[in-house]
Amino acid sequence: MNKLILGRYIPGDSILHRMDPRAKLIASFYYIGIIFLARSWPAYLLLFIFTMALVMVSKIKLSFFLKGVRPLLWLILFTVLLQIFFTRGGTVYWQWGFLSLTKFGLLNGAYIFMRFVLIIFMSTLLTLTTPPLSLADAIESILKPLKVIHFPVYEVALMLSIALRFVPTLMDETTKIMNAQRARGVDFGEGSLLQQMKSIIPILIPLFVSSFNRADDLATAMEARGYQGGEGRSKYRVLKWQTRDTLAFVAMAVLTVGLVILR
């Protein structure tokens, strides 16, 4: 449970911490998009240097980013192995039945691995340097034009902010339930895969009941305080676009040009 980075924010005073959350959110999605422009080792080296520079600017330990990769390591390796053994083309180094090890397969596997790691690093950087509620405010601000088509912008932002706010609470609740079940003799790590899946049920049922009770209490508290939706409400956290946010997009444009050249 402590390996999960979702919803975790590390306070700091770096340039990335002080950036407008809207700029960070848009830049992160843009970065994930331009990763697919890379088609050569120099291009991936440029992306890696750029990402490591951002990590250094954030003043956050590299271990936090490695923790973000660790829970997805098996998924990454599985995807890489599929690319290696099922992509054909180039020199064939080994073949057995429908499995083959080719030059293009190895290259695609290495590229997929780099893409996964870079995307996880960038998304982890976004969550570690941005408070969850500021992230929700940024999404609300970005989605405001959709009000023209009567999209429930305020409600979506409220649901997102509540969900992000209660991620750490649900983690703590899960830990308490697991400790209580262990005290009753439940072992979550032994037996076959089916037995381990069955042992999750004593965790899920109390967790669902606790979540629904908490949601009901929260709804009652919001109604008691007269919450009527976001229309006309003032903001405690006012988002301000500054020069450093514009410079971030200039850096992204330079990175895009570099990737196109190296491609």
Side-chain angles (χ1 to χ4, degrees), residues 158-225:
L158 176 67
M159 288 189 293
L160 181 62
S161 60
I162 291 175
L164 291 174
R165 163 63 185 82
F166 280 100
V167 164
T169 306
L170 290 178
M171 286 183 181
D172 293 339
E173 192 76 25
T174 305
T175 304
K176 291 178 183 177
I177 294 172
M178 290 180 69
N179 291 336
Q181 297 294 355
R182 285 195 183 100
R184 292 173 174 82
V186 178
D187 195 339
F188 299 104
E190 290 188 355
S192 63
L193 180 62
L194 185 60
Q195 291 173 335
Q196 292 185 31
M197 291 173 64
K198 286 181 178 178
S199 67
I200 299 297
I201 296 175
I203 301 176
L204 291 180
I205 294 176
L207 188 61
F208 269 104
V209 172
S210 171
S211 300
F212 282 120
N213 290 336
R214 199 181 297 275
D216 186 55
D217 293 340
L218 180 63
T220 304
M222 291 174 67
E223 288 177 358
R225 287 163 174 79

Side-chain angles (χ1 to χ4, degrees), residues 94-160:
W94 174 82
Q95 188 167 6
W96 183 71
F98 60 90
L99 298 176
S100 62
L101 191 64
T102 64
K103 180 180 179 181
F104 287 172
L106 290 172
L107 280 175
N108 279 341
Y111 291 164
I112 290 292
F113 179 79
M114 289 294 295
R115 284 175 188 168
F116 265 111
V117 172
L118 290 171
I119 289 172
I120 293 172
F121 267 50
M122 181 56 68
S123 57
T124 304
L125 188 66
L126 173 66
T127 57
L128 291 180
T129 60
T130 312
L133 294 181
S134 297
L135 207 54
D137 290 341
I139 293 175
E140 178 185 345
S141 178
I142 293 171
L143 294 179
K144 267 186 180 178
L146 296 179
K147 288 171 60 180
V148 178
I149 58 173
H150 303 289
F151 183 81
V153 175
Y154 295 115
E155 286 75 11
V156 169
L158 176 67
M159 288 189 293
L160 181 62

